Amino acid sequence: MNILQRFLNFFKSSPEPEFIAQQLRKPSGEYAAEVGDNMDKVNRALFDLTLDVMEPQDNEHILEIGFGTGKFISKFFSDTENLRISGLDYSEEMVEIAIQNNRDLITSGELKLLQGSSNAIPFPDSSFEKVFCNMVIYFWDQPENHLKEIYRVLKPDGLFYTGIRSKQSMTIFPFVKYGFKLYEIPEWKETLTQNGFSVVNTEIQTDPAVEFKGNKLELESWCIVAQKKTDPMNRG
């Protein structure tokens, strides 16, 4: 049984999809570690896609929004020098777990992890060359507030990477009826454009098929790359 199938079985067995949705938005309490571990399993392929598209460079400062358990953060440092990563996560429990998983990087000063929301990012203007998030925008009730903050903390011509799954991939899950805002690629591109970004690239990846509630499910992963417009007259 592959890791995606185990993840699906975990959620299939739950009688309360609304509770699952709440935990995916903000893992908390006694379920936080288990939810974080299962999110890692299903989102590994999406993280790798985003990382491949991003191509981190030496001396960059990159912000991840919604890092979860932080198990994948070390991948950034395999082929770079003088790279700094900062992370912001909404869940106190995820921050605690991620700190435990990355103590050496934090001690060395290469990594900084904070708890908070991306509609109030605790960093100065023009702090980052790149900002990214995976499976996070579903929970932004007012995406313009989050995009305004991302725009603010990006340096001129900085890049924002959105990693998500297609709307069709996600609608089979019963929990998405509770507080999820699902997107098609044109919808999210339009949202980015209206908030001061120019879409420069879209990469699509299809993950291996699995069975879920009698259906053959193929999760389609997207990484949408947008650039901060430097001319304020062009801001949406």
Side-chain angles (χ1 to χ4, degrees):
M1 186 183 299
N2 63 32
I3 56 177
L4 178 55
Q5 190 65 61
R6 291 198 299 269
F7 173 85
L8 296 175
N9 289 343
F10 170 75
F11 287 120
K12 182 179 179 181
S13 64
S14 174
E16 301 177 0
E18 188 171 4
F19 175 75
I20 292 172
Q22 293 170 352
Q23 283 291 315
L24 291 173
R25 176 183 285 264
K26 187 179 184 181
S28 59
E30 62 181 301
Y31 296 96
E34 185 176 9
V35 170
D37 182 60
N38 280 280
M39 287 194 297
D40 285 343
K41 291 172 182 176
V42 76
N43 291 330
R44 180 183 299 273
L46 178 59
F47 181 93
D48 289 342
L49 172 64
T50 304
L51 183 60
D52 288 344
V53 174
M54 189 183 309
E55 296 183 329
Q57 303 296 310
D58 295 348
N59 304 306
E60 286 185 331
H61 191 187
I62 297 173
L63 172 66
E64 179 176 9
I65 296 169
F67 50 78
T69 68
K71 287 183 178 179
F72 304 143
I73 292 175
S74 61
K75 293 185 176 186
F76 277 94
F77 298 93
S78 59
D79 297 310
T80 56
E81 295 182 359
N82 300 317
L83 181 71
R84 288 184 297 150
I85 301 292
S86 293
L88 185 68
D89 200 283
Y90 192 41
S91 165
E92 296 90 341
E93 285 85 347
M94 290 296 96
V95 175
E96 293 175 1
I97 292 171
I99 288 173
Q100 294 174 7
N101 288 333
N102 295 280
R103 288 198 179 277
D104 290 345
L105 289 172
I106 293 171
T107 300
S108 69
E110 297 168 284
L111 176 63
K112 181 177 183 180
L113 299 178
L114 299 175
Q115 189 276 328
S117 173
S118 51
N119 62 5
I121 298 175
F123 290 95
D125 296 357
S126 302
S127 293
F128 304 98
E129 281 82 12
K130 296 169 181 174
V131 176
F132 78 103
C133 62
N134 286 321
M135 304 293 281
V136 169
I137 66 169
Y138 306 127
F139 307 114
W140 290 350
D141 299 325
Q142 296 179 303
E144 63 274 10
N145 294 338
H146 301 264
L147 292 173
K148 180 180 179 180
E149 279 290 274
I150 291 168
Y151 185 98
R152 179 184 66 78
V153 300
L154 275 172
K155 294 181 178 181
D157 297 320
L159 297 171
F160 173 46
Y161 301 78
T162 308
I164 56 174
R165 293 270 166 53
S166 71
K167 191 172 186 177
Q168 183 177 3
S169 294
M170 295 295 291
T171 52
I172 193 171
F173 298 113
F175 51 78
V176 300
K177 298 177 182 178
Y178 303 94
F180 280 67
K181 167 60 176 174
L182 304 179
Y183 291 90
E184 298 290 358
I185 288 179
E187 292 178 277
W188 184 240
K189 285 183 176 181
E190 179 64 21
T191 301
L192 290 165
T193 300
Q194 290 175 350
N195 288 276
F197 293 89
S198 176
V199 177
V200 297
N201 187 25
T202 301
E203 294 290 335
I204 300 174
Q205 168 182 288
T206 301
D207 297 333
V210 295
E211 294 292 327
F212 182 64
K213 293 191 174 182
N215 296 302
K216 187 176 182 180
L217 174 63
E218 291 184 342
L219 294 180
E220 186 176 82
S221 298
W222 302 339
C223 180
I224 302 169
V225 187
Q227 187 171 43
K228 175 179 178 176
K229 295 178 184 176
T230 56
D231 181 355
M233 296 300 294
N234 288 332
R235 252 194 111 177

